[in-house]
């Protein structure tokens, strides 16, 4: 998606959407935190990504650029207590 994918999060979950100019398919996607499996960091050549499963049982696996999720609950190095 090269800069077209918007990623946001809050204490409810993860939001993924494509910028309006490029949105020709499904609406924005919301994934609640309790539907997201453990995240793992994947390093391939010069890129770093985070991979996680969605759903219980697993429906799909998602990979996002590490830079986009750094410091969020999807960062394998961070534990956030939403209290």
């Amino acid at each position: 998606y090269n800069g077209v994918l918007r990623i946001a999060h809050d204490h409810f979950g993860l939001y993924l959407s494509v910028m309006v100019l490029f949105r020709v398919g499904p609406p924005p996607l919301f994934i609640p935190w309790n539907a997201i499996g453990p995240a793992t960091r994947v390093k391939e050549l010069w890129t770093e990504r985070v991979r996680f499963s969605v759903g219980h049982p697993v429906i799909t696996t998602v990979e996002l650029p590490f830079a986009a999720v750094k410091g969020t609950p999807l960062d394998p190095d961070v534990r956030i207590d939403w209290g």
Side-chain angles (χ1 to χ4, degrees):
Y1 285 90
N2 200 18
V4 177
L5 180 65
R6 302 179 104 176
I7 302 168
H9 76 283
D10 62 14
H11 63 280
F12 295 111
L14 180 69
Y15 299 86
L16 303 173
S17 65
V18 176
M19 288 175 48
V20 176
L21 288 173
F22 300 97
R23 191 178 306 151
V24 290
L29 177 65
F30 167 71
I31 307 170
W33 291 124
N34 64 2
I36 295 176
T40 56
R41 191 181 290 187
V42 179
K43 295 180 182 180
E44 296 173 351
L45 298 176
W46 58 88
T47 63
E48 218 174 338
R49 306 180 79 65
V50 171
R51 180 182 296 153
F52 58 93
S53 60
V54 176
H56 305 290
V58 174
I59 297 168
T60 192
T61 301
V62 177
E63 274 192 29
L64 297 172
F66 178 72
V69 299
K70 188 174 182 178
T72 75
L74 287 174
D75 183 340
D77 299 330
V78 173
R79 294 285 173 233
I80 295 178
D81 180 19
W82 294 105

